[in-house]
Amino acid sequence: MTDFRWDKLATDGMSRRGRLHTAHGPVETPAFMPVGTAATVKAMAPWDVAQTGAQMVLGNTYHLMLRPGAERVAKLGGLHRFMAWDGPILTDSGGFQVMSLAQLRQLDETGVTFKSHIDGSTHALSPERSVEIQDLLDADVTMQLDECPPAGWPHDKVADSMRLSLRWAERCQRAFRERPGYGLFGIVQGGVYDDLRRESARELSAMDLPGYAVGGLAVGEGQAETFRVLEVTCPELPADKPRYLMGVGRPDDIVGAVMRGIDMFDCVLPTRSGRTGQAFTARGPINLKNARHREDTRPLDPNCDCATCTTFSRAYLHHLIRSEEMLGPMLLSRHNVHYYQALMAGLRGAIERGELTEHAQALAEGWHAGDI
Ligand SMILES: Nc1nc2c(CCNCC3CCCCC3)c3[nH]c(NCCc4ccccc4)nc3cc2c(=O)[nH]1
Ligand SMILES: [Zn+2]
């Protein structure tokens, strides 16, 4: 059985080209992980997800612990078998979703307690229980339970929150069941405060974890602040361990974060926006709901070789979205996830060639070319 590890294959400035080895197979990095919310990447079957080139997907601890329940997923053979995804799966710890979705939630030293948004039942999520749930789901990468402070919290509140997350990291590491091919990632917190980011990164680095996430971002701070926090945080993390920026992002966010040392990403954007008619293209985002597409026979993105772009016209996609036909979100989700995977493949190649700066410049010119 392969040991969980990340090989650094090439670097270009602060960016890295690597390969993550997990129990369920390898993941080329920089990597984008599509989000499977309730054990499905919405509107996409697992074979559609695989066809985009995605190697690793996210499972959702919060949703699955409420329905159908972690013990039930384990009884059914674990999340891989349940959703028929035999590649690597990363699950978030659930704390972020609790704070953004659950009703009547309360967070203290022991963890978070909350009422289910589905049936109002009460649940408790401690660091130990979160690690146990992710073990029952058979996630290749388990995330520590953490608190993500909202944007705008003052320094003292963020400091208390960051130190709570550090204590929870210790408890998660003690509770984690070590087994070849599986790893527990710590999550760096500290808001937008450099001293707190450094303290969090240094304390977590001393725990010698197999990987590190940068949390507490993409909460409304804006791209410039996100990048500035990465410039402070990444240099404090071990150079030989993978770095995962949680919840990011738009294509330009991802390129900028890769240039600042990030290796892994997740975001609901390509799937969620696909369902509302938004498509990402080499010449920027377009919304197919817009009436200007109703007689446009061109493909969605002439540069894209996905089935959506090589089969259908913009006029047809516009019709599907306007008619609220299921095929609309299906086709746009596939294209968007394909677009994100092609973006990551392009970044990996550019880093290998030592041409990331030029590649990023060419991407930005395409996105701003407009007239699409
Ligand atoms: N533990 C933890 N998770 C975070 C997440 C959830 C990452 N996605 C999980 C995934 C699991 C499966 C279900 C879906 C979520 C974040 N997402 C964002 N921004 C999203 C900003 C955004 C971007 C586009 C659309 C909506 C929101 N910031 C985040 C910070 C943290 C954090 O500090 N700690
Ligand atoms: Zn396409």
Side-chain angles (χ1 to χ4, degrees):
M1 175 65 83
T2 159
D3 247 352
F4 188 94
R5 75 174 190 283
W6 178 71
D7 298 335
K8 188 191 309 185
L9 305 174
T11 61
D12 182 351
M14 291 293 287
S15 70
R16 300 105 66 85
R17 160 68 167 106
R19 183 170 296 128
L20 186 67
H21 296 272
T22 77
H24 286 87
V27 185
E28 306 301 325
T29 69
F32 179 81
M33 304 176 286
V35 166
T37 299
T40 155
V41 178
K42 287 189 191 300
M44 292 178 72
W47 47 85
D48 297 316
V49 180
Q51 198 170 44
T52 67
Q55 292 175 294
M56 187 167 197
V57 300
L58 258 72
N60 188 341
T61 301
Y62 171 69
H63 278 267
L64 293 169
M65 71 183 275
L66 297 180
R67 183 173 56 191
E71 278 74 9
R72 175 159 299 149
V73 173
K75 205 180 334 181
L76 294 166
L79 192 49
H80 289 88
R81 185 168 313 143
F82 192 49
M83 67 187 284
W85 177 260
D86 58 12
I89 294 175
L90 179 148
T91 49
D92 199 352
S93 44
F96 183 83
Q97 283 80 39
V98 167
M99 300 315 277
S100 44
L101 286 176
Q103 319 137 12
L104 291 182
R105 69 256 185 211
Q106 194 230 338
L107 187 146
D108 59 29
E109 186 70 34
T110 64
V112 285
T113 51
F114 61 98
K115 284 169 80 73
S116 160
H117 73 286
I118 295 172
D119 61 12
S121 55
T122 301
H123 296 259
L125 203 50
S126 66
E128 293 79 11
R129 176 62 180 155
S130 175
V131 166
E132 181 184 36
I133 288 171
Q134 297 176 74
D135 187 320
L136 288 164
L137 299 177
D138 193 32
D140 299 80
V141 175
T142 291
M143 299 307 297
Q144 73 155 90
L145 186 69
D146 65 325
E147 181 182 29
C148 174
W153 268 18
H155 186 277
D156 59 333
K157 281 191 78 172
V158 173
D160 290 345
S161 170
M162 177 272 286
R163 289 164 189 149
L164 173 66
S165 291
L166 282 178
R167 294 193 294 275
W168 283 358
E170 292 278 353
R171 286 171 57 182
C172 288
Q173 189 177 42
R174 273 198 298 278
F176 182 70
R177 185 167 65 92
E178 297 288 347
R179 54 213 190 283
Y182 292 79
L184 169 75
F185 279 22
I187 303 177
V188 179
Q189 292 292 352
V192 292
Y193 304 107
D194 298 9
D195 59 328
L196 300 182
R197 284 286 172 182
R198 288 197 179 92
E199 177 182 334
S200 180
R202 286 172 184 160
E203 293 294 322
L204 287 171
S205 299
M207 293 173 63
D208 193 23
L209 293 163
Y212 294 89
V214 182
L217 293 175
V219 291
E221 73 280 356
Q223 188 184 78
E225 273 296 84
T226 305
F227 287 173
R228 196 188 58 74
V229 170
L230 294 181
E231 287 158 10
V232 167
T233 305
C234 289
E236 302 292 341
L237 291 171
D240 60 343
K241 298 290 175 59
R243 300 162 188 161
Y244 160 31
L245 178 54
M246 305 189 85
V248 172
R250 291 193 320 270
D252 56 310
D253 298 327
I254 289 175
V255 174
V258 165
M259 294 179 83
R260 290 165 175 84
I262 297 293
D263 309 297
M264 296 162 68
F265 300 87
D266 90 277
C267 193
V268 296
L269 205 54
T271 39
R272 180 177 299 179
S273 62
R275 294 197 296 280
T276 64
Q278 177 167 38
F280 292 91
T281 78
R283 299 171 72 83
I286 62 176
N287 198 311
L288 282 146
K289 253 190 198 148
N290 191 308
R292 66 191 178 94
H293 303 300
R294 66 183 167 212
E295 294 190 345
D296 191 334
T297 56
R298 292 177 300 170
L300 177 53
D301 183 345
N303 304 341
C304 182
D305 62 353
C306 87
T308 300
C309 294
T310 53
T311 311
F312 302 107
S313 68
R314 292 182 181 193
Y316 179 64
L317 296 170
H318 168 77
H319 161 71
L320 291 178
I321 295 295
R322 277 294 179 100
S323 317
E324 296 189 358
E325 280 295 331
M326 287 188 288
L327 189 57
M330 290 166 67
L331 294 177
L332 287 184
S333 295
R334 277 164 189 63
H335 163 77
N336 283 346
V337 176
H338 178 101
Y339 178 80
Y340 269 63
Q341 296 307 323
L343 176 74
M344 304 318 288
L347 293 172
R348 295 192 291 264
I351 297 168
E352 288 164 7
R353 297 191 305 273
E355 297 172 358
L356 183 59
T357 305
E358 299 81 352
H359 184 72
Q361 182 61 35
L363 285 170
E365 278 159 15
W367 292 329
H368 300 131
D371 168 39
I372 49 177

